[in-house]
């Protein structure tokens, strides 16, 4: 997907394959690695973060449903690379609450993002799309 900003690359993905949910992993990894346009270590971090966030979106939000989508954006500047992943929002849980992104003990996805990034946060609301952002030092 082309953007107006030459420092930004974006890709929109459909839902995860129910038979092979990791089908997007290599595609997202190779796209994000190239989009980072940085040294090997930085590009690897960016790609691993992108894969982890796409997996989380497919697993924990409506993005994993048959008509779901996930938008991944990589933006470069002089000192850092920003990875953002926007999902379709979560469904209301059995307890009546909407789950929001948080790094849980022993959790895989956001713990990895926390470990590989300088900083991460999220924006969104109950039942609305959630955007998770992670910054990586170039």
């Amino acid at each position: 997907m082309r953007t107006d900003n030459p420092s930004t690359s974006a890709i929109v993905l459909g839902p995860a394959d129910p038979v092979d949910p990791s089908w997007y992993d290599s595609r997202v990894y190779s796209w994000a690695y190239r989009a980072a346009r940085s040294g090997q270590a930085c590009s690897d971090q960016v790609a691993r973060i992108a894969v982890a966030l796409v997996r989380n979106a497919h697993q924990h939000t409506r993005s994993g449903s048959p008509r779901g989508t996930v938008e991944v954006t990589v933006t470069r500047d002089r000192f850092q690379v920003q990875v953002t992943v926007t999902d379709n929002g979560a469904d209301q849980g059995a307890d009546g609450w909407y789950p929001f992104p948080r790094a849980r003990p022993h959790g895989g996805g956001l713990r990895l993002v926390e470990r590989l990034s300088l900083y991460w946060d999220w924006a969104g609301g109950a039942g609305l799309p959630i955007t998770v952002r992670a910054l990586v030092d170039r």
Side-chain angles (χ1 to χ4, degrees):
M1 175 176 175
R2 292 187 181 263
T3 64
D4 294 335
N5 183 343
S7 297
T8 301
S9 298
I11 187 172
V12 176
L13 306 167
D17 182 347
V19 175
D20 183 10
S22 63
W23 182 83
Y24 277 126
D25 290 358
S26 62
R27 182 176 175 194
V28 170
Y29 185 92
S30 61
W31 171 81
Y33 191 95
R34 288 189 314 273
R37 294 186 192 164
S38 298
Q40 183 175 354
C42 176
S43 293
D44 182 63
Q45 287 174 289
V46 167
R48 290 174 64 196
I49 287 168
V51 168
L53 292 176
V54 168
R55 277 185 187 174
N56 271 8
H58 279 149
Q59 186 177 6
H60 299 294
T61 73
R62 290 188 296 257
S63 294
S65 67
R67 288 191 280 286
T69 60
V70 178
E71 182 177 340
V72 187
T73 305
V74 173
T75 305
R76 302 167 304 281
D77 72 18
R78 188 172 176 184
F79 301 108
Q80 64 192 17
V81 179
Q82 177 178 282
V83 180
T84 59
V85 174
T86 303
D87 61 40
N88 294 138
D91 286 325
Q92 191 174 25
D95 58 2
W97 293 91
Y98 288 90
F100 290 109
R102 69 175 206 251
R104 294 184 176 107
H106 311 296
L110 290 178
R111 279 285 179 217
L112 178 69
V113 171
E114 186 173 62
R115 194 171 71 243
L116 295 176
S117 65
L118 294 169
Y119 170 82
W120 75 275
D121 64 5
W122 60 272
L128 300 172
I130 302 288
T131 298
V132 178
R133 173 180 68 154
L135 300 177
V136 177
D137 189 15
R138 283 186 100 171

